[in-house]
Amino acid sequence: MLAEIDTAIIGAGVIGLATAREIAQRKKGVFVFEKNRTFGLETSSRNSEVIHAGIYYPEESLKAKLCVEGKNLLYKLCDKHNIACKKSGKIIVAADENEINWLKELYEQGRKNGVNDLVLLSRTEVKRLEPNVEARAGLLSPSSGFFDSHTLLKFLYSQAREKGAEFVFGTEVIGIERAGAKYRVQMKDRDGISAFVAHIVVNCAGLNCDRIAQLAGIDIAKAGYKLHYCKGEYFSLDSKYRNLVSKLIYPLPEQAGHGIHFKQGLDGRVLLGPSAHYVGAIDYAVDETHKQAFYNSARRFLPFVELEDLAPESAGIRPKLQGPGDDFRDFVITHEEKTGFPGLINLIGIESPGLTASLAIARYVGRMVKELLD
Ligand SMILES: Cc1cc2nc3c(=O)[nH]c(=O)nc-3n(C[C@H](O)[C@H](O)[C@H](O)COP(=O)(O)OP(=O)(O)OC[C@H]3O[C@@H](n4cnc5c(N)ncnc54)[C@H](O)[C@@H]3O)c2cc1C
């Protein structure tokens, strides 16, 4: 007889951790399986740590709704549990007339999404707020900020455990098979291959989430779940650039990312990034030859930056549903009952603003699980 559990969560990134914490509050028998030796070693620790306001995404999309809800939950949680966090505000900057019109569109989009504190800024107003930034105009988002995501991950892990979730590290899920109304989940650890039975499987596998859906038997091409990897690199700036800019400075968004921004982190380090280019495989090396492109991008609004002051820093990979040239794709967070997989909850394409939205995503999944177990 195989061991039987209520809920198996695959993946201990911020989404798996927040979901485990949420579900374990109400139900026992929540197990999190993670292939790495501990939690949060992939995308959840390779990002900008920015708390996004919720401006860019189409109205009523999950990205818009969960970002706005998640932002508020995250600020409250950071405040209550002393997780370092700074509501610095951010300015999206425009270089010409065309970009100014685009700023106005973003202003409207943000308001439709419930971001009601946005302010369009003239060149003089940008200069007054950020004397070292050069821009024709700006869009101020006072509710944007950044925080210590590593402490959040630790906090979610310890709360999930306190509430009864069990974590199984160094264990890769390699098979999922329907077994009546349940799932037989096969896993591999250093002792070999074993299996258990779960009533509910929640797929929070980040860069592997499409493969996990496929393992369960979903036709991912038909479902539109095939991921495209999109790499984002960061370059650091010399410490002499500290305290020249106080807010996050963003250009207008690109097709695949929010644009290479300028950020002075909680530790004082100044970063440029992330870039966005599609890649075929996971590789976190930063290509030094991209330095010039980072410099060109930064110089448009930060004329004080010098090429020799940039150094390769780190990289992350976005699990995107949107391929090169594609239109907007939303998060997929779905109970696969209609596709013939009751009890399987898939989270696919949880790219930015996934960190900001993590607590709201966990609530959303928590409601699905509650319906299934009640
Ligand atoms: C460059 C970059 C910048 C970003 N900046 C921001 C930002 O500033 N603000 C923001 O809100 N969002 C940002 N994001 C997005 C955010 O980081 C992600 O949305 C979020 O971290 C996704 O978390 P996750 O738990 O889904 O994925 P992950 O952190 O990747 O976790 C998935 C986990 O699943 C595990 N796993 C996979 N397959 C298996 C298996 N078969 N068996 C067991 N375990 C498995 C993995 O090992 C991993 O630990 C950024 C992303 C990138 C790439």
Coordinates of all heavy atoms in Angstrom, one line a residue, residues 9-17 19 33-36 40-44 202-213 220 225-230 282 284 317-321 331-332 345-352 354:
I9 N 2.2 19.7 -2.9 CA 2.6 20.9 -3.7 C 3.9 20.6 -4.3 O 4.8 20.2 -3.6 CB 2.7 22.1 -2.7 CG1 1.3 22.4 -2.1 CG2 3.2 23.3 -3.4 CD1 1.2 23.5 -1.0
I10 N 4.0 20.8 -5.6 CA 5.3 20.6 -6.3 C 6.0 21.9 -6.4 O 5.5 22.8 -7.1 CB 5.1 19.9 -7.6 CG1 4.3 18.6 -7.4 CG2 6.5 19.6 -8.3 CD1 3.9 18.0 -8.8
G11 N 7.2 22.1 -5.7 CA 8.0 23.3 -5.9 C 7.9 24.2 -4.6 O 6.8 24.5 -4.1
A12 N 9.1 24.5 -4.1 CA 9.2 25.4 -2.9 C 9.8 26.7 -3.3 O 10.8 27.2 -2.6 CB 9.9 24.7 -1.8
G13 N 9.3 27.4 -4.3 CA 9.6 28.8 -4.6 C 8.6 29.6 -3.8 O 7.9 29.1 -3.0
V14 N 8.6 30.9 -4.0 CA 7.7 31.8 -3.3 C 6.2 31.3 -3.4 O 5.5 31.4 -2.4 CB 7.9 33.2 -3.6 CG1 7.4 33.6 -5.0 CG2 7.3 34.2 -2.6
I15 N 5.9 30.8 -4.6 CA 4.5 30.4 -4.8 C 4.1 29.2 -4.0 O 3.1 29.1 -3.4 CB 4.2 30.3 -6.3 CG1 4.6 31.6 -7.1 CG2 2.7 29.9 -6.6 CD1 3.8 32.8 -6.7
G16 N 5.0 28.2 -4.1 CA 4.7 26.9 -3.3 C 4.8 27.2 -1.8 O 3.9 26.6 -1.1
L17 N 5.7 28.0 -1.4 CA 5.8 28.3 0.1 C 4.5 29.1 0.5 O 3.9 28.7 1.6 CB 7.0 29.2 0.3 CG 8.4 28.6 0.2 CD1 9.5 29.6 0.3 CD2 8.6 27.4 1.2
T19 N 1.6 29.2 -0.8 CA 0.5 28.3 -1.0 C 0.4 27.3 0.2 O -0.6 27.0 0.8 CB 0.5 27.6 -2.3 OG1 0.5 28.5 -3.4 CG2 -0.7 26.7 -2.5
F33 N 7.1 19.1 -2.2 CA 8.2 18.4 -2.7 C 9.1 19.4 -3.5 O 8.5 20.1 -4.4 CB 7.7 17.2 -3.6 CG 6.9 16.3 -2.8 CD1 5.5 16.4 -2.6 CD2 7.5 15.2 -2.1 CE1 4.8 15.5 -1.8 CE2 6.8 14.3 -1.3 CZ 5.5 14.5 -1.2
E34 N 10.3 19.3 -3.2 CA 11.3 20.3 -3.9 C 12.5 19.5 -4.3 O 13.1 18.8 -3.5 CB 11.6 21.4 -2.9 CG 12.8 22.3 -3.3 CD 12.6 23.0 -4.7 OE1 11.6 23.6 -4.9 OE2 13.5 22.8 -5.5
K35 N 12.9 19.7 -5.6 CA 14.0 18.9 -6.1 C 15.3 19.4 -5.6 O 16.3 18.7 -5.5 CB 14.0 18.9 -7.6 CG 14.2 20.3 -8.3 CD 14.2 20.0 -9.8 CE 14.1 21.3 -10.6 NZ 15.1 22.4 -10.4
N36 N 15.4 20.7 -5.2 CA 16.7 21.3 -4.7 C 16.8 20.9 -3.2 O 15.9 20.5 -2.6 CB 16.7 22.8 -4.9 CG 16.8 23.1 -6.4 OD1 17.4 22.4 -7.2 ND2 16.2 24.2 -6.8
G40 N 13.5 28.0 -2.4 CA 13.8 29.3 -3.0 C 15.1 29.5 -3.7 O 15.7 30.5 -3.6
L41 N 15.6 28.4 -4.4 CA 16.9 28.6 -5.0 C 16.8 28.9 -6.5 O 17.8 29.1 -7.2 CB 17.7 27.3 -4.9 CG 18.1 26.9 -3.5 CD1 19.0 25.6 -3.5 CD2 18.9 28.0 -2.8
E42 N 15.6 29.0 -7.0 CA 15.5 29.3 -8.5 C 14.9 30.8 -8.7 O 15.4 31.7 -8.1 CB 14.7 28.2 -9.1 CG 15.4 26.9 -8.9 CD 15.1 25.8 -9.9 OE1 14.3 25.9 -10.8 OE2 15.8 24.7 -9.8
T43 N 13.9 30.9 -9.5 CA 13.5 32.3 -9.9 C 13.2 33.2 -8.7 O 13.4 34.4 -8.7 CB 12.2 32.2 -10.8 OG1 12.6 31.2 -11.8 CG2 11.9 33.5 -11.5
S44 N 12.7 32.6 -7.6 CA 12.3 33.4 -6.4 C 13.5 34.1 -5.7 O 13.3 35.0 -4.9 CB 11.5 32.5 -5.4 OG 10.3 32.0 -6.0
V202 N -0.9 20.3 -6.5 CA -0.7 21.7 -6.9 C 0.6 21.9 -7.5 O 1.7 21.7 -6.9 CB -0.9 22.7 -5.7 CG1 -1.0 24.1 -6.1 CG2 -2.2 22.3 -4.8
N203 N 0.6 22.3 -8.8 CA 1.8 22.4 -9.6 C 2.4 23.8 -9.5 O 1.9 24.7 -10.1 CB 1.5 22.0 -11.0 CG 2.6 22.3 -12.0 OD1 3.7 22.6 -11.6 ND2 2.3 22.1 -13.3
C204 N 3.4 24.0 -8.6 CA 4.0 25.3 -8.5 C 5.5 25.2 -8.9 O 6.4 25.7 -8.3 CB 4.0 25.8 -7.0 SG 2.4 25.9 -6.3
A205 N 5.7 24.5 -10.0 CA 7.1 24.1 -10.4 C 7.8 25.1 -11.2 O 8.8 24.8 -11.8 CB 7.1 22.7 -11.0
G206 N 7.4 26.3 -11.3 CA 8.1 27.4 -11.9 C 8.6 27.1 -13.3 O 7.7 26.9 -14.2
L207 N 9.9 27.0 -13.6 CA 10.4 26.8 -14.9 C 10.1 25.4 -15.4 O 10.3 25.2 -16.6 CB 11.9 27.0 -14.9 CG 12.4 28.5 -14.7 CD1 13.8 28.6 -14.3 CD2 12.1 29.4 -15.8
N208 N 9.6 24.5 -14.6 CA 9.2 23.2 -15.0 C 7.7 22.9 -15.0 O 7.3 21.8 -15.2 CB 9.8 22.2 -14.0 CG 11.2 21.7 -14.4 OD1 11.5 21.7 -15.5 ND2 11.9 21.2 -13.4
C209 N 6.9 24.0 -14.8 CA 5.5 23.7 -14.6 C 4.8 23.1 -15.8 O 3.9 22.3 -15.7 CB 4.8 25.0 -14.2 SG 4.9 26.3 -15.4
D210 N 5.3 23.5 -17.0 CA 4.7 22.9 -18.2 C 5.0 21.4 -18.3 O 4.2 20.6 -18.6 CB 5.1 23.6 -19.5 CG 6.6 23.7 -19.7 OD1 7.4 23.4 -18.8 OD2 7.0 24.1 -20.9
R211 N 6.2 21.0 -17.9 CA 6.6 19.6 -17.9 C 5.8 18.8 -16.9 O 5.4 17.7 -17.1 CB 8.1 19.4 -17.6 CG 8.9 19.4 -18.9 CD 10.3 19.3 -18.7 NE 10.9 20.7 -19.0 CZ 12.1 21.1 -18.7 NH1 12.9 20.3 -18.1 NH2 12.5 22.2 -19.1
I212 N 5.5 19.4 -15.7 CA 4.8 18.7 -14.7 C 3.3 18.5 -15.2 O 2.7 17.4 -15.0 CB 4.8 19.5 -13.4 CG1 6.2 19.6 -12.8 CG2 3.7 19.0 -12.4 CD1 6.6 18.3 -12.2
A213 N 2.8 19.5 -15.9 CA 1.4 19.4 -16.4 C 1.4 18.3 -17.4 O 0.5 17.5 -17.5 CB 1.0 20.7 -17.0
I220 N 0.0 19.8 -23.5 CA 0.4 21.2 -23.2 C 0.4 22.1 -24.4 O 0.2 23.3 -24.3 CB 1.7 21.4 -22.4 CG1 2.9 20.7 -23.1 CG2 1.6 20.8 -21.0 CD1 4.2 21.1 -22.5
Y225 N 0.2 25.7 -22.8 CA 1.0 25.8 -21.5 C 2.5 25.7 -21.8 O 3.3 25.8 -20.9 CB 0.7 24.6 -20.6 CG -0.7 24.7 -19.9 CD1 -1.1 23.6 -19.2 CD2 -1.6 25.7 -20.1 CE1 -2.4 23.6 -18.5 CE2 -2.8 25.7 -19.5 CZ -3.2 24.7 -18.7 OH -4.4 24.7 -18.1
K226 N 2.9 25.7 -23.1 CA 4.3 25.5 -23.3 C 5.1 26.8 -22.9 O 4.7 27.9 -23.4 CB 4.5 25.2 -24.8 CG 5.9 25.0 -25.3 CD 6.3 23.5 -25.1 CE 7.8 23.3 -25.2 NZ 8.6 23.6 -24.0
L227 N 6.1 26.6 -22.1 CA 6.8 27.8 -21.6 C 7.9 28.3 -22.6 O 8.5 27.4 -23.3 CB 7.5 27.5 -20.3 CG 6.7 27.4 -19.0 CD1 7.6 27.2 -17.8 CD2 5.8 28.6 -18.8
H228 N 8.2 29.5 -22.6 CA 9.3 30.1 -23.3 C 10.2 30.7 -22.2 O 9.7 31.5 -21.4 CB 8.9 31.2 -24.3 CG 7.9 30.7 -25.2 ND1 8.2 30.2 -26.5 CD2 6.5 30.7 -25.2 CE1 7.1 29.9 -27.1 NE2 6.1 30.1 -26.3
Y229 N 11.5 30.4 -22.2 CA 12.4 30.9 -21.2 C 12.9 32.3 -21.7 O 13.4 32.4 -22.8 CB 13.6 30.0 -21.0 CG 13.2 28.7 -20.3 CD1 14.1 27.6 -20.3 CD2 12.0 28.5 -19.6 CE1 13.8 26.4 -19.7 CE2 11.7 27.3 -19.0 CZ 12.6 26.3 -19.0 OH 12.4 25.1 -18.4
C230 N 12.8 33.2 -20.8 CA 13.3 34.6 -21.2 C 14.2 35.1 -20.1 O 13.8 35.3 -19.0 CB 12.1 35.5 -21.3 SG 12.5 37.1 -21.8
I282 N 18.3 26.7 -19.5 CA 18.6 27.5 -18.2 C 20.1 27.6 -18.0 O 20.8 26.6 -17.9 CB 17.9 26.8 -17.0 CG1 16.4 26.7 -17.2 CG2 18.3 27.4 -15.7 CD1 15.6 25.9 -16.3
Y284 N 22.6 30.6 -16.0 CA 22.5 31.9 -15.2 C 23.7 32.8 -15.4 O 23.9 33.8 -14.7 CB 22.3 31.6 -13.8 CG 20.9 31.0 -13.5 CD1 20.8 29.7 -12.9 CD2 19.7 31.7 -13.8 CE1 19.5 29.2 -12.7 CE2 18.5 31.1 -13.5 CZ 18.4 29.9 -13.0 OH 17.1 29.3 -12.7
I317 N 15.6 33.7 -14.9 CA 14.9 33.3 -16.1 C 13.4 33.3 -15.9 O 12.9 32.8 -14.9 CB 15.4 31.9 -16.5 CG1 16.9 31.9 -16.7 CG2 14.6 31.4 -17.8 CD1 17.5 31.0 -17.7
R318 N 12.7 34.0 -16.8 CA 11.3 34.1 -16.7 C 10.6 32.9 -17.3 O 10.9 32.6 -18.5 CB 10.8 35.4 -17.4 CG 11.4 36.7 -17.0 CD 11.0 37.8 -17.9 NE 11.6 39.1 -17.6 CZ 12.8 39.5 -17.9 NH1 13.6 38.8 -18.7 NH2 13.2 40.7 -17.6
P319 N 9.6 32.3 -16.6 CA 8.9 31.2 -17.2 C 7.7 31.8 -18.0 O 6.6 32.0 -17.4 CB 8.4 30.4 -16.0 CG 8.3 31.4 -14.9 CD 9.2 32.6 -15.2
K320 N 7.9 32.2 -19.2 CA 6.8 33.0 -19.9 C 6.0 32.1 -20.8 O 6.4 31.2 -21.5 CB 7.5 34.0 -20.8 CG 8.1 35.2 -20.1 CD 8.6 36.2 -21.1 CE 7.6 37.2 -21.5 NZ 7.2 38.1 -20.4
L321 N 4.7 32.4 -20.8 CA 3.8 31.8 -21.8 C 3.8 32.6 -23.1 O 3.6 32.0 -24.2 CB 2.3 31.8 -21.2 CG 2.1 30.8 -20.1 CD1 0.8 31.0 -19.4 CD2 2.2 29.3 -20.7
F331 N -1.3 35.0 -16.3 CA -1.0 33.8 -15.5 C -2.1 32.8 -15.7 O -3.3 33.2 -15.9 CB -1.2 34.1 -14.0 CG -0.2 35.1 -13.4 CD1 -0.5 35.8 -12.3 CD2 1.1 35.1 -13.8 CE1 0.4 36.7 -11.6 CE2 2.1 36.0 -13.2 CZ 1.7 36.8 -12.1
V332 N -1.7 31.5 -15.7 CA -2.8 30.4 -15.7 C -2.8 29.9 -14.3 O -1.7 29.4 -13.8 CB -2.4 29.3 -16.7 CG1 -3.3 28.1 -16.6 CG2 -2.5 29.9 -18.2
I345 N -4.3 21.2 -9.7 CA -4.3 22.6 -9.9 C -3.0 23.1 -10.5 O -1.9 22.8 -9.9 CB -4.5 23.3 -8.5 CG1 -5.9 23.0 -8.0 CG2 -4.4 24.9 -8.6 CD1 -6.2 23.4 -6.5
N346 N -3.1 23.7 -11.6 CA -1.8 24.1 -12.4 C -1.6 25.6 -12.2 O -2.6 26.4 -12.4 CB -2.0 23.8 -13.9 CG -1.5 22.4 -14.2 OD1 -0.5 21.9 -13.6 ND2 -2.2 21.8 -15.2
L347 N -0.4 26.0 -11.9 CA 0.0 27.4 -12.0 C 1.1 27.5 -13.1 O 2.2 27.0 -12.9 CB 0.6 27.9 -10.6 CG -0.5 28.0 -9.5 CD1 -0.6 26.7 -8.7 CD2 -0.2 29.1 -8.6
I348 N 0.8 28.1 -14.2 CA 1.7 28.1 -15.3 C 2.0 29.6 -15.7 O 1.1 30.4 -15.8 CB 1.0 27.4 -16.5 CG1 0.3 26.1 -16.1 CG2 2.0 27.2 -17.7 CD1 1.1 24.9 -16.0
G349 N 3.3 29.8 -16.0 CA 3.7 31.1 -16.5 C 3.7 32.2 -15.4 O 3.3 33.3 -15.6
I350 N 4.1 31.8 -14.2 CA 4.1 32.7 -13.0 C 5.4 33.5 -13.1 O 6.3 33.3 -12.3 CB 3.9 32.0 -11.7 CG1 2.7 31.1 -11.7 CG2 3.7 33.1 -10.6 CD1 1.3 31.7 -12.0
E351 N 5.4 34.4 -14.0 CA 6.5 35.4 -14.2 C 6.2 36.6 -13.4 O 5.3 36.6 -12.6 CB 6.8 35.6 -15.7 CG 5.5 36.1 -16.4 CD 5.7 36.8 -17.7 OE1 6.8 37.4 -17.8 OE2 4.8 36.8 -18.5
S352 N 6.9 37.7 -13.7 CA 6.6 39.0 -13.0 C 5.2 39.4 -13.3 O 4.7 39.2 -14.5 CB 7.6 40.1 -13.4 OG 7.5 41.2 -12.6
G354 N 4.9 37.9 -10.2 CA 4.6 36.8 -9.4 C 5.1 36.9 -7.9 O 4.4 36.5 -7.0

